Amino acid sequence: MKKIKLENQPFGPFPAALAGAMVEDKPNYVMAGAVGCVCLDPVLYVSLKSTHYTTAGVKENGYFSINIPSVDLLPQADFCGLVSGKDTDKSKLFHSFFDEAGNAPMIEECPMNFLCKVFQRVTVRGFDVFYGEIVAAYATESKMCANKPDVEKISPFIMIGAEYCSVDQVVGKAFSAGKSLL
Ligand SMILES: Cc1cc2nc3c(=O)[nH]c(=O)nc-3n(C[C@H](O)[C@H](O)[C@H](O)COP(=O)(O)O)c2cc1C
C-alpha cells in the first residue's frame, strides 16, 4: 500500500461539540473539536485556547459543559467558532438550562449534554486542557430509543480537515465486531 506523507497537522476526524461556560454571569458557547473522553470513570476533556472568552469562565467557575449538536444546528455551531463572546453576545443563540450539580450552562436544543466539574488543568502550547468529571448528563427524550440515545435521531457531525461530515448510521457493535477475529 503506497503512503503519501502529509504535513504534520491534525486532520481529524474530530467530534464537533459546543463547550459552554458562564462568563460574566451569561452563558457563552464555543465550537470545539478538541473534546473527548479520557476514561469511562467518567472523565471528559476540552482543550481551549487560553485567550478565548469561554476559557476565562471555565477557570472562574470550575465547570464546563459539552453539548453535542445535531446537523440541523450546524450554522449556529459554526457561528460559535467564528465569533468570540468578547465581541458578540452568544447567550441568546440557544435556550440554556442548568443542573444543580454545577455552574455551567447546557444547550436545550442539543440532543446530548454533559456537565463537567474541572479537577485538573494542564497548559499546552497556549491552550488550557481542562479535565472534568461528568457530574450530570442529559439526552433529549425524543432522540432516544429503548432508553438509550439514538445516533440516527441525534445526527451528530464530525470535522475532517476543514469540512463537517455527518455521522448518522450504526455500522457495528463495540466489543463485538472484532470477535470474528478472535
Ligand atoms: C470547527 C471549529 C473547531 C474549533 N475547535 C476549537 C478547539 O477545539 N479549541 C479552541 O480553543 N478553539 C476552537 N475553535 C475556535 C473557537 O471556537 C473560536 O475561536 C471561538 O470564536 C472562541 O469563542 P469565545 O472567545 O467566545 O470562547 C474551533 C473553531 C471551529 C470553527
Side-chain angles (χ1 to χ4, degrees), residues 18 28 61 90 92 113 130 134 142 161:
L18 288 164
N28 193 68
N61 294 291
K90 294 187 259 185
K92 300 282 184 305
N113 320 88
F130 296 100
I134 300 174
S142 61

Side-chain angles (χ1 to χ4, degrees), residues 16 28-35 46-55 77-86 88 90 127 159 164:
N28 193 68
Y29 298 104
V30 59
M31 179 65 152
V35 165
V46 61
S47 173
L48 294 176
K49 200 170 182 180
S50 303
T51 51
H52 283 347
Y53 194 61
T54 315
T55 312
D78 192 57
F79 179 80
C80 288
L82 285 170
V83 303
S84 172
K86 284 176 200 165
T88 306
K90 294 187 259 185
F127 281 72
M159 56 188 87
Y164 296 118

Side-chain angles (χ1 to χ4, degrees), residues 17-18 65-70 73 97 106-115 136-141 143-144 148-151 154-156:
L18 288 164
S65 69
I66 297 297
N67 305 272
I68 307 298
S70 302
L73 290 175
F97 74 100
M106 290 177 275
I107 300 174
E108 216 172 286
E109 290 84 346
C110 285
M112 294 193 74
N113 320 88
F114 302 92
L115 174 64
Y138 288 89
T140 304
E141 193 175 23
K143 307 281 177 177
M144 294 175 77
K148 279 189 295 190
D150 182 279
V151 71
I154 289 172
S155 188

